[in-house]
Amino acid sequence: MNDFDWKNLIDPLFYIHFDVNGIKLGIYIVLFIVFAETGLFAGFFLPGDSLLFLAGIYNRELMENVMILGSDFLNVTVLSTLVAVAGILGNIVGYWFGSKSGYYLYNKEDTFWFKKKYLIQSKDFFEKHGGRAIIFARFLPIFRTFAPIVAGIVTMEKKKFMFYNVVSSFLWSFTLIFAGHYLYGFLLEKYQIDLKEHIELIVIGLVAITILPVIYKFAKKLPVVVEEGLEEQKKEEEKQE
């Protein structure tokens, strides 16, 4: 902790190796990050996909202060399950927050930054694609933070939300943690490639893979958003005249 740097906050290994006076707390930090990233506004900047992938590689180190099972498979399964539960709880908190703030937003007047029509469109989108939206959002940074909040705001049916919340969380955690664990073992055994020596490349690669779809979507919508913003500004100027 004496060598703390603010850049550590986006470094997955910082959390996995986290310890206080020699007591390893990595597993608890990882679970909290998953909870925060999927349930708190402040969690959107935290590492998600890369953290879980590396958790698969370092699963024994994470689990040793909780329990160590005889089977490697069971260790990874228990870790994946704990992460999935943290993700489920995080989404529940996000949904609750959204449902409590929804009334305020539905009664809020339109501004340059806020348009009620987007809230209505989001409601229609979740009613039509709600399940898929929750599942896809799990694998996209930023989106997985705000998806449950929006679901709560647009009052997505609770049973439907919970079903896809559980499915998406288990799918996300098991896919990334198992991929990290078994890919590490496969490459080390077959090709003598130790992924632990290429952590930076793994993190950069995972960030690129998960962030590119977000950038692409934003780039497609940006001209429309700008055009609508200019139209609103023009209307305001005409009213003032």
Side-chain angles (χ1 to χ4, degrees), residues 12-13 15-17 24-28 30-31 50-83 173-174 176-186 188 195-196 199:
L13 283 184
Y15 301 108
I16 290 174
H17 296 316
K24 295 182 179 180
L25 301 174
I27 180 66
Y28 306 107
V30 168
L31 294 178
S50 56
L51 179 67
L52 296 197
F53 189 87
L54 294 182
I57 296 176
Y58 291 91
N59 76 95
R60 189 172 185 85
E61 179 178 329
L62 288 171
M63 291 295 294
E64 64 183 3
N65 280 341
V66 180
M67 65 179 79
I68 287 292
L69 302 171
S71 167
D72 219 26
F73 174 79
L74 287 178
N75 275 319
V76 181
T77 300
V78 171
L79 175 60
S80 301
T81 302
L82 291 174
V83 169
S173 64
F174 272 71
L176 288 169
I177 292 175
F178 269 74
H181 177 72
Y182 286 103
L183 184 61
Y184 169 74
F186 173 78
L188 187 62
L195 291 181
K196 290 182 179 179
I199 296 300

Side-chain angles (χ1 to χ4, degrees), residues 189-207:
E189 181 181 347
K190 295 292 184 181
Y191 303 102
Q192 288 73 54
I193 298 175
D194 189 348
L195 291 181
K196 290 182 179 179
E197 297 176 357
H198 306 282
I199 296 300
E200 289 186 2
L201 289 177
I202 293 172
V203 173
I204 292 171
L206 284 170
V207 169

Side-chain angles (χ1 to χ4, degrees), residues 203-215:
V203 173
I204 292 171
L206 284 170
V207 169
I209 290 171
T210 54
I211 233 45
L212 282 177
V214 178
I215 296 173

Side-chain angles (χ1 to χ4, degrees), residues 40-229:
L40 305 176
F41 271 118
F44 69 90
F45 69 91
L46 295 169
D49 301 311
S50 56
L51 179 67
L52 296 197
F53 189 87
L54 294 182
I57 296 176
Y58 291 91
N59 76 95
R60 189 172 185 85
E61 179 178 329
L62 288 171
M63 291 295 294
E64 64 183 3
N65 280 341
V66 180
M67 65 179 79
I68 287 292
L69 302 171
S71 167
D72 219 26
F73 174 79
L74 287 178
N75 275 319
V76 181
T77 300
V78 171
L79 175 60
S80 301
T81 302
L82 291 174
V83 169
V85 171
I88 290 168
L89 294 176
N91 263 18
I92 290 174
V93 172
Y95 181 91
W96 173 83
F97 178 82
S99 65
K100 293 300 181 182
S101 62
Y103 177 81
Y104 165 75
L105 293 174
Y106 270 116
N107 290 278
K108 180 179 172 62
E109 293 185 2
D110 283 358
T111 64
F112 180 78
W113 299 106
F114 175 81
K115 299 290 184 294
K116 191 184 295 183
K117 67 177 182 179
Y118 295 144
L119 196 59
I120 296 171
Q121 288 172 0
S122 297
K123 185 176 188 301
D124 293 338
F125 176 79
F126 268 89
E127 287 177 349
K128 187 176 181 181
H129 307 289
R132 286 185 294 173
I134 295 296
I135 291 175
F136 293 153
R138 280 287 185 187
F139 293 87
L140 296 173
I142 302 176
F143 280 91
R144 65 172 152 263
T145 300
F146 295 102
I149 296 172
V150 173
I153 290 174
V154 301
T155 61
M156 181 180 179
E157 185 184 352
K158 289 182 180 179
K159 289 183 179 179
K160 185 177 182 181
F161 171 78
M162 277 304 301
F163 173 77
Y164 287 105
N165 177 22
V166 172
V167 170
S168 64
S169 192
F170 273 90
L171 186 63
W172 179 53
S173 64
F174 272 71
T175 298
L176 288 169
I177 292 175
F178 269 74
H181 177 72
Y182 286 103
L183 184 61
Y184 169 74
F186 173 78
L187 291 177
L188 187 62
E189 181 181 347
K190 295 292 184 181
Y191 303 102
Q192 288 73 54
I193 298 175
D194 189 348
L195 291 181
K196 290 182 179 179
E197 297 176 357
H198 306 282
I199 296 300
E200 289 186 2
L201 289 177
I202 293 172
V203 173
I204 292 171
L206 284 170
V207 169
I209 290 171
T210 54
I211 233 45
L212 282 177
V214 178
I215 296 173
Y216 175 72
K217 288 280 186 183
F218 180 76
K220 283 181 67 177
K221 290 185 178 181
L222 183 60
V224 177
V225 173
V226 171
E227 185 178 347
E228 290 180 348

